[in-house]
């Protein structure tokens, strides 16, 4: 699996390059391991990465169980099915893709059982594409206020996906909008610090725009061959 070592060091040096170029620090690299086998995760772990992300509850649950002896911070980044939250909360340090009131209620309920405060990010659909999850800007304040009612929830940031385009100006516009929302709302919600944005194709734009959490899959693990589903 030499290709993983090569891929990882390449993406790490590029991240470093852009971080220096744009005068940024404290950017977390999250390795998106969805669809990839346990052996790949172990390999990346051995090179020092501690943060991994999955987008399906069952897959997260199985991988977290198999790797329970490693010191991994798990991130959940997929579409949330409310009835599967019980599999996510026990293992996830962060849940990035929260945007419905009923998800927040259920996360809080399960987090209580495990005596933990669940860190979540609120997903925004900045570009307005219909296929994407997330709330629009106008609903953000309401959802933040709603979240404040739950003792076992801590909203630590905002997450978004770039629109499906090669046009870097459009992508940058979306990322800057998310950053501006974070800057504005963190005055009233001081825990709102993180910006989860940037994937293999647009991480450089995300770094420039203030991302604190990059979600990188294929640049580390290679092409995903089987269906990702929801
Ligand atoms: C798959 C996925 C990623 C990683 O995408 P790559 O293009 O492989 O880097 C990031 N974020 C989310 C929400 C994903 O589903």
């Amino acid at each position: 699996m030499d290709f993983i070592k090569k891929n990882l060091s390449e993406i790490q040096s590029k991240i470093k390059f852009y971080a220096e170029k744009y005068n940024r620090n404290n950017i977390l690299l999250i390795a998106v391991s969805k669809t990839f086998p346990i052996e790949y995760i172990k390999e990346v772990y051995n090179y020092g990465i501690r943060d991994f992300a999955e987008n399906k509850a069952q897959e997260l649950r199985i991988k977290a169980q198999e790797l329970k002896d490693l010191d991994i911070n798990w991130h959940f980044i997929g579409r949330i099915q409310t009835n599967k939250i019980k599999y996510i909360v026990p293992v996830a340090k962060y849940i990035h893709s929260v945007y419905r009131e009923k998800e927040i209620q259920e996360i809080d309920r399960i987090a209580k059982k495990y005596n933990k405060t669940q860190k979540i990010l609120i997903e925004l659909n900045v570009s307005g594409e219909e296929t994407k999850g997330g709330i629009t800007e106008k609903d953000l304040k309401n959802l933040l206020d709603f979240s404040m009612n739950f003792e076992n929830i801590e909203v630590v940031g905002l997450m978004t996906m770039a629109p499906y385009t090669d046009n870097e100006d459009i992508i940058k516009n979306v990322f800057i909008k998310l950053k501006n929302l974070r800057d504005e709302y963190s005055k009233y919600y001081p825990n709102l610090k993180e910006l989860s944005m940037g994937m293999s194709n647009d991480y450089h734009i995300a770094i420039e725009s203030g991302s604190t959490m990059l979600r990188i899959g294929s640049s580390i693990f290679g092409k995903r061959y089987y269906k990702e589903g929801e």
Side-chain angles (χ1 to χ4, degrees):
M1 292 183 284
D2 265 359
F3 70 97
I4 289 186
K5 184 178 188 181
K6 185 168 164 286
N7 285 350
L8 181 65
S9 69
E10 257 175 45
I11 189 80
Q12 283 177 314
S13 61
K14 286 185 193 156
I15 291 170
K16 187 162 177 274
F17 169 83
Y18 286 108
E20 279 166 14
K21 178 171 176 183
Y22 296 116
N23 205 6
R24 296 284 329 284
N25 50 38
N26 295 325
I27 301 169
L28 178 67
L29 169 58
I30 303 169
V32 179
S33 48
K34 65 186 186 200
T35 77
F36 292 107
I38 294 286
E39 290 67 41
Y40 285 27
I41 299 177
K42 283 184 182 162
E43 170 130 1
V44 171
Y45 182 91
N46 285 336
Y47 300 127
I49 298 295
R50 292 293 175 266
D51 290 82
F52 292 86
E54 291 290 335
N55 72 337
K56 284 183 185 163
Q58 289 286 13
E59 195 174 340
L60 170 65
R61 182 192 190 198
I62 292 164
K63 286 175 170 172
Q65 173 60 29
E66 289 193 34
L67 295 167
K68 64 177 187 308
D69 296 331
L70 304 187
D71 176 27
I72 290 180
N73 302 317
W74 288 105
H75 298 249
F76 187 80
I77 60 172
R79 246 345 134 84
I80 295 173
Q81 290 168 279
T82 312
N83 61 341
K84 304 250 173 82
I85 287 173
K86 59 179 180 289
Y87 304 135
I88 301 171
V89 169
V91 290
K93 180 164 180 191
Y94 296 90
I95 305 176
H96 291 233
S97 40
V98 180
Y99 67 95
R100 294 187 182 100
E101 291 188 352
K102 66 171 193 222
E103 296 165 357
I104 290 171
Q105 270 167 333
E106 179 67 0
I107 292 169
D108 181 73
R109 191 180 74 84
I110 306 289
K112 265 193 185 61
K113 278 195 184 172
Y114 288 89
N115 201 18
K116 75 183 278 198
T117 303
Q118 180 66 55
K119 294 183 194 303
I120 67 167
L121 290 84
I122 291 181
E123 181 172 358
L124 276 113
N125 184 348
V126 181
S127 61
E129 283 177 311
E130 265 177 35
T131 54
K132 285 204 158 61
I135 50 166
T136 56
E137 200 181 318
K138 68 172 188 356
D139 294 325
L140 179 58
K141 185 176 186 304
N142 274 343
L143 197 60
L144 285 168
D145 285 341
F146 181 80
S147 312
M148 296 306 137
N149 298 322
F150 297 91
E151 270 182 12
N152 294 63
I153 297 266
E154 182 186 357
V155 186
V156 298
L158 305 177
M159 182 271 221
T160 201
M161 308 252 278
Y164 196 67
T165 172
D166 289 336
N167 185 324
E168 298 207 341
D169 291 335
I170 294 176
I171 296 173
K172 187 170 168 185
N173 207 14
V174 165
F175 288 165
I176 293 288
K177 264 199 185 142
L178 198 74
K179 179 191 187 292
N180 289 341
L181 288 171
R182 193 274 320 266
D183 290 348
E184 185 187 334
Y185 283 102
S186 59
K187 292 177 202 154
Y188 313 103
Y189 308 90
N191 295 337
L192 203 70
K193 295 191 178 98
E194 308 290 351
L195 285 172
S196 169
M197 56 191 198
M199 311 183 2
S200 292
N201 291 326
D202 53 28
Y203 70 92
H204 57 293
I205 312 170
I207 293 170
E208 179 183 4
S209 310
S211 172
T212 65
M213 291 175 151
L214 301 172
R215 309 180 309 266
I216 310 268
S218 47
S219 291
I220 297 173
F221 295 105
K223 198 167 155 36
R224 283 181 294 272
Y225 285 103
Y226 46 102
K227 203 177 154 284
E228 284 162 32
E230 282 292 329

